[in-house]
Amino acid sequence: MGEDVKTAFGAGVGNLLPTCFHGELHRFCPTLHEGQVGLSSWGQKASGSPHRQPAHNETDCSWAPFDQDNYQQLLGALDYSFLCAYAIGMYLSGIIGERLPIRYYLTFGMLASGAFTALFGFGYFYNIHSFGFYVVTQIINGLVQTTGWPSVVTCLGNWFGKGRRGLIMGVWNSHTSVGNILGSLIAGYWVSTCWGLSFIVPGVIVAAMGIVCFLFLIEHPKDIACSSSLAAEFDITLEAMEITEMGKM
């Protein structure tokens, strides 16, 4: 049971924090409502921070090129780039993931995801205003984040029999909601003072969890002195119980 918990933990962190990234993008240029403190508070940062020009739209977002009236189209293009890359990459990752060691593949995906998430935030500190830079970062990030789902599903399938997969998959899949919550909290904390940290901090956390997966994730019971017969015996017991119940009917 201890190894099962360790496996579920290692697989869970493999997909918990990458989901933070998608929610952060939508806080990049929040709308400024009456009485609400917007991105104008950036000016309170320490000296030496990137110079900001007055905003040209109602969001008070003055980070070029998102400071024009077409900021919604630009942010939509970033979102579209990420989602398209994610959709295409999911198919490719399923094929590639079946042919590579899960632990290495998942670790690579998390390290790369953390790196490109942080790279998006470095655009703030290095005063990058190229729209192409942010689009390319989004595309690559969408591709590398697809390594998570196929890898973890395969790993969970190796460890847990059919009788327990419903419960385990239900618990594991909560990472989507938890990750979105964490992403919103992290992005909301820094978005009005230093939005680059809204991407760099989650990127560092994701990369750190990638190292945790590399150290603790066990792909299959046969990789240690543990037999998968327990899962098989559990399934057989459940099937016997179902047959008995059917016989009573």
Side-chain angles (χ1 to χ4, degrees), residues 190-212:
W190 278 293
V191 70
S192 61
T193 56
C194 181
W195 66 259
L197 292 178
S198 295
F199 294 90
I200 293 177
V201 173
V204 172
I205 297 175
V206 171
M209 290 299 100
I211 297 176
V212 171

Side-chain angles (χ1 to χ4, degrees), residues 131-202:
F131 182 65
F133 167 81
Y134 297 105
V135 170
V136 172
T137 303
Q138 283 283 80
I139 292 175
I140 299 177
N141 207 346
L143 291 174
V144 296
Q145 285 195 25
T146 60
T147 59
W149 184 273
S151 301
V152 177
V153 169
T154 302
C155 184
L156 292 178
N158 292 340
W159 272 91
F160 301 101
K162 295 179 181 180
R164 293 183 290 177
R165 286 180 186 173
L167 173 61
I168 296 300
M169 291 296 294
V171 173
W172 167 71
N173 203 41
S174 64
H175 75 268
T176 303
S177 299
V178 176
N180 286 332
I181 293 172
L182 292 177
S184 297
L185 292 176
I186 294 174
Y189 185 81
W190 278 293
V191 70
S192 61
T193 56
C194 181
W195 66 259
L197 292 178
S198 295
F199 294 90
I200 293 177
V201 173

Side-chain angles (χ1 to χ4, degrees), residues 235-249:
D235 290 339
I236 293 175
T237 302
L238 287 179
E239 291 177 359
M241 293 175 60
E242 292 176 356
I243 294 174
T244 302
E245 292 295 329
M246 293 178 62
K248 293 180 179 180
M249 297 175 60

Side-chain angles (χ1 to χ4, degrees), residues 6-78:
K6 183 189 292 186
T7 302
F9 169 75
V13 295
N15 281 273
L16 172 62
L17 290 165
T19 57
C20 298
F21 174 76
H22 195 233
E24 295 159 12
L25 179 61
H26 298 281
R27 292 176 175 263
F28 188 58
C29 289
T31 303
L32 181 64
H33 299 288
E34 183 178 359
Q36 176 182 351
V37 178
L39 299 185
S40 58
S41 59
W42 282 0
Q44 300 175 0
K45 298 201 322 313
S47 59
S49 60
H51 178 68
R52 299 173 65 248
Q53 298 295 331
H56 300 292
N57 57 58
E58 64 272 24
T59 65
D60 192 41
C61 178
S62 58
W63 190 265
F66 305 100
D67 59 343
Q68 304 298 325
D69 290 336
N70 65 338
Y71 72 96
Q72 291 182 332
Q73 286 78 11
L74 296 179
L75 292 177
L78 291 181

